[in-house]
Amino acid sequence: MSSVDQQLDDLRTEITSELPSDISVSDVKYEGPELVVYTRDPKKFAQKGDLIRQLASKLRKRITVRPDPDVLSKPRDAREEIMAVIPDDAGVTDLDFHADTGEVVIEAEKPGMVIGRHGSTLRDITQKVGWTPEVVRTPPIESSTVSNVRNFLKQERDERRDILEKVGRQIHREEMSDDEYVRITTLGCCREVGRASFILSTPETRILIDCGDKPGAEGEVPYLQVPEALGAGAQNIDAVILTHAHLDHSALIPLLFKYGYDGPIYTTEPTRDLMGLLQLDYLDVAAKEGRAPPYDSEMVREAIKHTIPLEYGDVTDIAPDVKLTLHNAGHILGSAVTHFHIGDGLYNVAFSGDIHYDDTRLFNGAVNDFPRVETLVLESTYGGRNDYQTDQEDSERKLKEVINQTYDRDGKILIPAFAVGRSQEMMLVLEEAMRTGDIPEMPVHLDGMIWEATAIHSTYPEYLRDDLRDRIFHDDENPFLAEQFNHIDGGEEERREVADGGPCIVLSTSGMVEGGPIMSWLRHLGGEADSTLTFVGYQAQGTLGRRIQNGWDEIPVDDRGNGRGNTLTLDMEVETVDGFSGHADRQGLENFVKTMNPRPEKVLCVHGDESSTQDLSSALYHDYNMRTFAPKNLETFRFV
């Protein structure tokens, strides 16, 4: 008998001894990080509301209770009883029964009303019908991505359970080594922005954090071939952690499955959905530009199938010697600061991912409250000594000035924006400015993936800033549904009509002017001296956006800025409005570290150009007397 089977036998014995004699346990399994207890008495379990919580606390494990399939009521009968329990105002749109696990997935417009106070309605459902309810939100804006992901995972339930059981056995395997060390190897994004990737390793475990591409630098990918990463075989990686969905962090994760990786990806639920959206678009853009994509769409589906979503604040075993906790990073929807607790109190490491320290219109500011962190890996995008952004109020004032001046000239405002994050921030600013009369009412056209990304934001309002979440819960107040927003979905003809029409605002991907619909808009509007190209997000070195910012007015429009093909003379005004970035500025980064209690002993400054990482590293060393580094790619740091 393996050590894991023995462990499960012991757990079954212990759980049985803790339960009242009239509650049976028919099986105990690991599924991913959770311990799943099967019982023939789900109704009695539900009657004793604190039983599961007490068991989880005693065993120090996340526990899910499921009914044995053969004690379940028929779905037709269960449906009627479930609907009688749930308040009508919950807006139930679908019930989906899964007899193999005894779960019923309830999709509702107001999930909180299905859950009830402290889970009371869920317990009532199980008491009535025996089925275990799982609740998901009906998107207030229809999202093909959310729908496709949910349907795909429904189709793959059997295989997914096999994956989760395999992952669970890996997590709870016996530790094999008596050695103690913690190492971080940098595979990308050091003294550069893009291709974020790190390996965190212990004698037991090898974890990959992020695996992205580099904007404006085709072919520059993380150093995955080194022995610490895939050089030792993809099967030697135990887990992948994704901090957020932007392509400079997520683009190459499907490539891991092409090379034989078969393990879990831990991230938040909205990041999983956004990851699929952006990766499929990544393949689409590559095909349109005649480039060979590094993987196909089947690998994107594999990545989604292997994703284990976690909520902020949940402490989760991901290896025999590693616990992971995700915290809000304030950067984009579902973005996470990742905290690793290694060994039995041996060492703690946090990776910031990309962070925004202060509250924005979209998100609460990044969390930096950890029980312990010895080493912090900190992004430094705006870590340079002069990288102080305009505060939000001044930024919005300047944006309104640009819009009003352009409107008075009868021109159009073209804003290159990242589909995820900046676009939704812009939508909130524009909606309020028009509602309060600060700018004239005019159409706001959303091109590229912006509308789809906005629909995903509406699906997960619990990840948004508190007051925005409350507005989305009331459809008549949902700012993303304001009537001035128009989704461009008709291609070139529709763009041409907009270009020939009156004053308007166009939000279009890509945010760094690296291909995508923005190139079409430049062809339509670039020669109009009355119109304004307005940058509101970071433009990485080497991108066409950065070159235009720096004064280029002859730009290539048919390729990715390599000087061949057609060129366009840019006559429109060019403005940059700072302060809307999803990244903390220099002050925000310093404040993130300054307010940590206790502060880390070491900080690795990454994800910024050479001067930014070195400036921030130097400042943190001088101000807080901590050991700081601005590592290069392919360095390994040993701790402990």
Side-chain angles (χ1 to χ4, degrees):
M1 181 184 286
S2 75
S3 63
V4 175
D5 290 324
Q6 184 63 57
Q7 201 181 124
L8 288 169
D9 273 1
D10 293 344
L11 282 167
R12 181 172 174 173
T13 302
E14 187 173 358
I15 290 168
T16 302
S17 70
E18 293 288 328
L19 294 176
S21 57
D22 61 341
I23 297 181
S24 64
V25 174
S26 51
D27 202 2
V28 176
K29 291 180 178 179
Y30 284 125
E31 289 189 13
E34 293 193 339
L35 183 68
V36 180
V37 178
Y38 285 88
T39 178
R40 297 184 61 82
D41 307 293
K43 296 180 182 181
K44 292 177 181 175
F45 244 114
Q47 285 166 4
K48 302 180 188 300
D50 287 340
L51 204 52
I52 296 172
R53 187 175 54 77
Q54 290 165 2
L55 275 175
S57 177
K58 181 171 177 55
L59 300 175
R60 298 180 68 185
K61 294 189 183 299
R62 289 166 58 182
I63 294 179
T64 296
V65 173
R66 290 195 190 137
D68 260 359
D70 56 356
V71 301
L72 295 169
S73 57
K74 289 187 171 66
R76 185 182 62 243
D77 301 331
R79 179 182 297 273
E80 289 182 16
E81 292 195 67
I82 290 170
M83 292 306 293
V85 171
I86 298 171
D88 291 341
D89 290 350
V92 173
T93 54
D94 191 29
L95 293 180
D96 192 16
F97 292 87
H98 298 278
D100 56 334
T101 60
E103 291 171 301
V104 52
V105 179
I106 304 171
E107 188 173 295
E109 292 166 358
K110 298 177 181 175
M113 298 187 74
V114 181
I115 295 167
R117 187 172 174 79
H118 303 304
S120 57
T121 309
L122 297 183
R123 286 195 296 276
D124 287 348
I125 290 169
T126 303
Q127 282 181 49
K128 285 274 195 299
V129 299
W131 291 80
T132 301
E134 180 187 325
V135 189
V136 295
R137 181 181 309 284
T138 306
I141 301 173
E142 190 174 338
S143 163
S144 59
T145 301
V146 172
S147 175
N148 289 342
V149 168
R150 288 178 180 176
N151 288 334
F152 171 67
L153 291 175
K154 190 194 302 184
Q155 293 164 14
E156 300 293 330
R157 276 180 85 91
D158 289 347
E159 188 176 345
R160 188 165 158 75
R161 275 182 70 200
D162 292 343
I163 290 168
L164 289 173
E165 282 194 37
K166 181 182 169 188
V167 170
R169 296 179 75 86
Q170 277 291 99
I171 291 170
H172 298 96
R173 70 188 187 273
E174 195 173 346
E175 291 191 40
M176 304 298 290
S177 175
D178 294 328
D179 289 347
E180 287 188 339
Y181 64 76
V182 178
R183 298 192 311 179
I184 293 174
T185 300
T186 58
L187 304 181
C189 85
C190 290
R191 305 193 184 192
E192 63 179 355
V193 174
R195 58 169 171 176
S197 198
F198 302 89
I199 287 280
L200 174 66
S201 55
T202 73
E204 289 291 333
T205 307
R206 193 172 293 188
I207 298 165
L208 182 71
I209 296 103
D210 289 344
C211 194
D213 74 345
K214 186 170 180 179
E218 187 185 332
E220 289 194 39
V221 299
Y223 291 92
L224 296 172
Q225 73 278 17
V226 299
E228 289 86 349
L230 302 189
Q235 67 277 10
N236 288 314
I237 294 175
D238 294 277
V240 173
I241 318 297
L242 178 57
T243 60
H244 67 284
H246 276 156
L247 289 172
D248 60 331
H249 293 254
S250 76
L252 299 176
I253 279 178
L255 193 62
L256 304 173
F257 293 90
K258 183 176 176 179
Y259 287 139
Y261 180 65
D262 195 30
I265 300 168
Y266 295 98
T267 193
T268 62
E269 197 169 10
T271 297
R272 176 199 64 196
D273 294 1
L274 289 169
M275 172 186 80
L277 173 70
L278 294 178
Q279 289 168 351
L280 290 173
D281 184 69
Y282 176 77
L283 298 181
D284 189 44
V285 170
K288 285 177 179 173
E289 294 178 352
R291 292 181 288 116
Y295 52 82
D296 59 29
S297 58
E298 182 57 36
M299 296 298 102
V300 178
R301 286 190 283 275
E302 281 297 309
I304 290 169
K305 192 194 305 179
H306 283 75
T307 296
I308 299 177
L310 304 179
E311 293 185 11
Y312 292 149
D314 283 354
V315 180
T316 304
D317 290 304
I318 62 167
D321 59 340
V322 181
K323 295 180 190 297
L324 168 68
T325 313
L326 305 182
H327 300 273
N328 171 42
H331 174 63
I332 63 167
L333 183 71
S335 60
V337 178
T338 58
H339 179 273
F340 298 89
H341 179 82
I342 299 162
D344 189 12
L346 175 67
Y347 207 76
N348 292 262
V349 177
F351 288 78
S352 73
D354 290 353
I355 55 171
H356 198 291
Y357 182 62
D358 299 312
D359 292 352
T360 64
R361 283 181 175 269
L362 270 177
F363 305 112
N364 298 322
V367 169
N368 65 347
D369 184 17
F370 316 109
R372 274 176 53 193
V373 175
E374 281 76 48
T375 290
L376 170 67
V377 182
L378 178 65
E379 72 122 319
S380 315
T381 313
Y382 289 111
R385 61 172 56 90
N386 298 316
D387 287 345
Y388 293 96
Q389 291 186 39
T390 317
D391 71 32
Q392 191 164 314
E393 213 171 292
D394 287 342
S395 301
E396 292 185 13
R397 191 180 302 115
K398 181 175 180 187
L399 179 66
K400 292 170 193 174
E401 282 176 13
V402 169
I403 292 170
N404 283 324
Q405 288 165 5
T406 308
Y407 181 88
D408 291 343
R409 297 194 302 262
D410 211 29
K412 300 173 182 67
I413 300 93
L414 175 59
I415 303 176
F418 303 113
V420 178
R422 269 352 75 213
S423 293
Q424 290 72 37
E425 187 94 12
M426 286 294 103
M427 289 171 74
L428 295 176
V429 172
L430 297 172
E431 184 271 337
E432 183 183 277
M434 291 185 193
R435 182 162 38 86
T436 58
D438 287 350
I439 62 175
E441 287 207 10
M442 66 185 95
V444 180
H445 302 287
L446 311 172
D447 203 352
M449 295 180 300
I450 293 172
W451 185 247
E452 180 60 26
T454 303
I456 297 172
H457 279 70
S458 289
T459 306
Y460 298 104
E462 59 273 26
Y463 285 84
L464 302 175
R465 185 170 166 164
D466 302 344
D467 56 341
L468 175 58
R469 178 185 61 209
D470 294 342
R471 290 181 70 192
I472 288 174
F473 284 152
H474 301 92
D475 279 351
D476 55 339
E477 294 180 30
N478 186 339
F480 297 128
L481 292 173
E483 61 182 14
Q484 58 264 42
F485 295 127
N486 170 49
H487 174 210
I488 296 273
D489 58 3
E492 271 317 293
E493 191 61 40
E494 194 173 356
R495 291 184 190 121
R496 193 175 296 110
E497 284 179 17
V498 170
D500 291 342
C504 64
I505 299 168
V506 176
L507 290 179
S508 175
T509 56
S510 74
M512 295 189 191
V513 200
E514 287 288 295
I518 191 67
M519 306 310 292
S520 174
W521 287 108
L522 287 175
R523 281 193 291 271
H524 288 304
L525 301 177
E528 292 187 6
D530 291 332
S531 294
T532 308
L533 176 64
T534 308
F535 291 104
V536 296
Y538 181 75
Q539 303 299 307
Q541 286 183 353
T543 61
L544 185 53
R546 174 68 76 94
R547 289 169 180 148
I548 294 171
Q549 266 188 330
N550 290 342
W552 274 35
D553 56 10
E554 292 286 331
I555 60 169
V557 288
D558 286 338
D559 51 29
R560 292 172 58 85
N562 59 21
R564 295 191 301 273
N566 297 327
T567 59
L568 169 77
T569 300
L570 206 61
D571 289 327
M572 62 195 312
E573 295 281 322
V574 176
E575 295 278 358
T576 296
V577 182
D578 290 322
F580 289 114
S581 173
H583 295 268
D585 69 356
R586 169 63 174 268
Q587 190 64 60
L589 292 168
E590 289 203 31
N591 287 343
F592 183 86
V593 176
K594 176 183 175 182
T595 56
M596 288 177 75
N597 185 24
R599 285 189 198 133
E601 298 162 6
K602 299 181 180 72
V603 179
L604 276 57
C605 296
V606 303
H607 199 285
D609 61 31
E610 190 158 352
S611 63
S612 298
T613 53
Q614 289 179 333
D615 282 356
L616 184 60
S617 174
S618 175
L620 294 176
Y621 167 74
H622 285 295
D623 292 349
Y624 307 119
N625 195 29
M626 51 178 56
R627 294 188 65 191
T628 62
F629 307 86
K632 297 177 180 177
N633 290 330
L634 292 177
E635 287 197 60
T636 294
F637 294 81
R638 174 172 176 163
F639 312 103
V640 183

